[in-house]
Amino acid sequence: METTMLRRRAFAAGAAAVAVGALALAGLTGVASAGQAAGTAPAAEQLSPGLIEAMRRDLGLDPGEARARIAGEYRAAAVAAALEKSLGPDFAGARVSGDSAVLTVATTDRADIARITGAGARAEVVGHSLDRLEAAKASLDEVARKKTPENVPSWYVDISANRLVVNASRTGAADGLLAAAGVPRELVRVDRSAEQPRAYADLRGGDAYYMNGSGRCSIGFPVKRGTQNGFVTAGHCGTPGVTTTGVNQQAQGSFQGSTFPGRDYAWVATNANWTPRALVNGYGNGDVTVAGSTQAVAGSSVCRSGSTTGWHCGTIQQHGSSVTYPEGTITGVTRTSVCAEPGDSGGSFISGSQAQGVTSGGSGNCSQGGTTYYQPVNPALAAYGLTLVTSGTPTDPPTDPTDPPTEPGGTWAAGTTYAAGAVVTYGGASYRCLQGHQAQAGWQPPNVPALWQRI
């Protein structure tokens, strides 16, 4: 496993090392064109001073290095997404490393090396495909859904190790879980761990809110569902029907949907007194503008806003992790080196200007360091038919994204990353992308005018 400790280092070769921009995508089959790939980094003036300051404190980067790293990570995300589609079942994961965000893409087929290096990434040949490792992890998830495992706090696919890593306080506990799931040991590395992760209940992230006038959590990201405003947050914060009051203790809304355990997401519909903004609370350092929700590559920098500990940054360690809390097992969360404490739950994880997820739980604290998991935001949006409020959201409310389109067909495809300005066809019409995003099922262009404009 790659170390999570980051040190300040020379950055002279940064721009050259990550010059793997959108032009590299044009030669990759089955992916968006260069104009569609959301690999264009935000302009320097679009990045929050608070975000840059937190990266200086936690990652040891001066402002120029922080901006260069974010730019490199944006480009890496676009190239990685294209290669994942191009390599198909050979794909074994992608990650960035170092302050220069050097992209490494793994494959099980040596014949793919030229394609990977031609796209500007480092190639690595490994023994197990990402599909195979994720299938093994899914087997563990299925066993955990039936019975919460004891003494096994978390498990995840570690791309750099090309293994399914199982953290356990006792080796025998890991052996039992693997045996019950029928997972071959050749795919697994068992690590001893004293972690005792817990859901960050009674917490606040970006802005505080209170459940039924008592417990406290935090807003993840403002959203819209048709004409209804609201926000996404952690599922463990409340169940449908639970009412909320805002940071000013005034009536705010109620939970409409919630999933926990299994996943850890929820959404709250708010009343007309609350206006959604494409912002994350910067806690005195300037608010951060949210421009989209493109998922960052493993190894990328990521920062968290929380009411208890403010801004803290670290790196994305593994996507698609599973973690066991006392309430049950959560799957599909992202493991990070960012610290958090009670009061930070449900809050915003953001990489550059791209929304990543909402704080779920973890172990440790911000005095001695720790591990925090976030629930990715895109699955939450898709689960409830929500549209993320971003800097590109039009003032006219979107239609309900769950309504089916009248005409299928065209070049639009779920799972593709689109940038503002990209043009697709759907149902015989052409549409221009209004804000960068990763397309989800149900987000067909006719359904989400906040994302697409017919031309």
Side-chain angles (χ1 to χ4, degrees):
M1 184 187 303
E2 293 181 339
T3 178
T4 62
M5 182 174 292
L6 297 169
R7 295 188 178 88
R8 188 182 185 89
R9 53 180 69 84
F11 204 77
V18 298
V20 291
L23 291 177
L25 304 182
L28 299 174
T29 60
V31 299
S33 67
Q36 294 171 311
T40 303
E45 62 271 15
Q46 294 177 313
L47 295 173
S48 161
L51 181 91
I52 299 300
E53 169 58 24
M55 293 180 72
R56 180 203 63 76
R57 182 195 64 209
D58 294 338
L59 301 179
L61 304 176
D62 66 32
E65 292 169 344
R67 294 186 180 97
R69 175 164 180 161
I70 290 171
E73 291 169 352
Y74 270 67
R75 291 190 289 269
V79 174
L83 284 170
E84 180 175 4
K85 291 185 177 181
S86 179
L87 299 181
D90 296 343
F91 182 73
R95 66 187 188 276
V96 295
S97 57
D99 294 340
S100 54
V102 175
L103 176 65
T104 298
V105 175
T107 177
T108 58
D109 189 346
R110 190 168 295 277
D112 294 329
I113 292 177
R115 183 180 302 183
I116 295 170
T117 57
R122 291 178 177 175
E124 184 175 79
V125 180
V126 296
H128 310 300
S129 70
L130 184 60
D131 285 347
R132 188 182 183 197
L133 293 174
E134 288 184 339
K137 179 186 169 294
S139 297
L140 297 188
D141 294 346
E142 182 61 28
V143 171
R145 273 192 288 270
K146 297 175 182 176
K147 182 180 180 181
T148 300
E150 296 181 0
N151 301 308
V152 184
S154 61
W155 55 95
Y156 47 81
V157 173
D158 188 334
I159 294 169
S160 61
N162 194 228
R163 289 291 186 276
L164 171 60
V165 175
V166 177
N167 289 321
S169 58
R170 294 189 304 103
T171 302
D175 291 339
L177 179 61
L178 294 169
V183 172
R185 284 303 296 261
E186 67 188 58
L187 303 179
V188 179
R189 189 185 77 210
V190 176
D191 288 347
R192 292 292 296 272
S193 173
E195 291 182 9
Q196 294 182 333
R198 67 207 184 278
Y200 288 128
D202 252 4
L203 327 165
R204 145 163 91 129
D207 280 337
Y209 69 92
Y210 301 84
M211 298 82 72
N212 286 340
S214 56
R216 174 169 58 90
C217 271
S218 49
I219 294 172
F221 296 96
V223 297
K224 286 179 174 287
R225 190 180 190 278
T227 59
Q228 177 64 60
N229 295 333
F231 59 86
V232 290
T233 187
H236 69 261
C237 291
T239 56
V242 169
T243 61
T244 67
T245 54
V247 65
N248 58 3
Q249 298 289 349
Q250 298 301 304
Q252 181 188 68
S254 63
F255 280 76
Q256 303 298 300
S258 179
T259 300
F260 181 81
R263 302 302 288 268
D264 195 6
Y265 48 59
W267 87 283
V268 173
T270 57
N271 61 43
N273 294 329
W274 296 82
T275 302
R277 304 292 185 190
L279 299 172
V280 172
N281 191 335
Y283 288 95
N285 296 301
D287 290 341
V288 178
T289 300
V290 179
S293 58
T294 299
Q295 179 175 284
V297 179
S300 296
S301 59
V302 68
C303 296
R304 176 193 55 70
S305 173
S307 64
T308 298
T309 58
W311 274 100
H312 282 276
C313 299
T315 58
I316 294 172
Q317 296 175 322
Q318 290 89 21
H319 290 298
S321 300
S322 295
V323 58
T324 296
Y325 301 139
E327 298 87 349
T329 296
I330 313 300
T331 64
V333 290
T334 297
R335 178 182 171 95
T336 76
S337 64
V338 186
C339 70
E341 296 180 11
D344 294 325
S345 198
S348 317
F349 266 84
I350 191 165
S351 183
S353 63
Q354 299 296 305
Q356 298 298 307
V358 300
T359 303
S360 175
S363 56
N365 56 50
C366 289
S367 296
Q368 300 174 333
T371 297
T372 301
Y373 299 87
Y374 67 77
Q375 164 67 57
V377 68
N378 284 327
L381 299 176
Y384 301 120
L386 306 171
T387 300
L388 184 70
V389 173
T390 71
S391 54
T393 301
T395 54
D396 293 335
T399 57
D400 190 333
T402 61
D403 291 342
T406 57
E407 297 182 46
T411 59
W412 178 90
T416 302
T417 299
Y418 295 105
V423 175
V424 300
T425 59
Y426 188 86
S430 296
Y431 296 84
R432 180 178 292 109
C433 181
L434 298 176
Q435 62 187 50
H437 66 283
Q438 286 179 315
Q440 306 289 317
W443 292 10
Q444 291 88 345
N447 295 353
V448 280
L451 300 180
W452 295 99
Q453 179 183 49
R454 184 165 177 165
I455 56 177

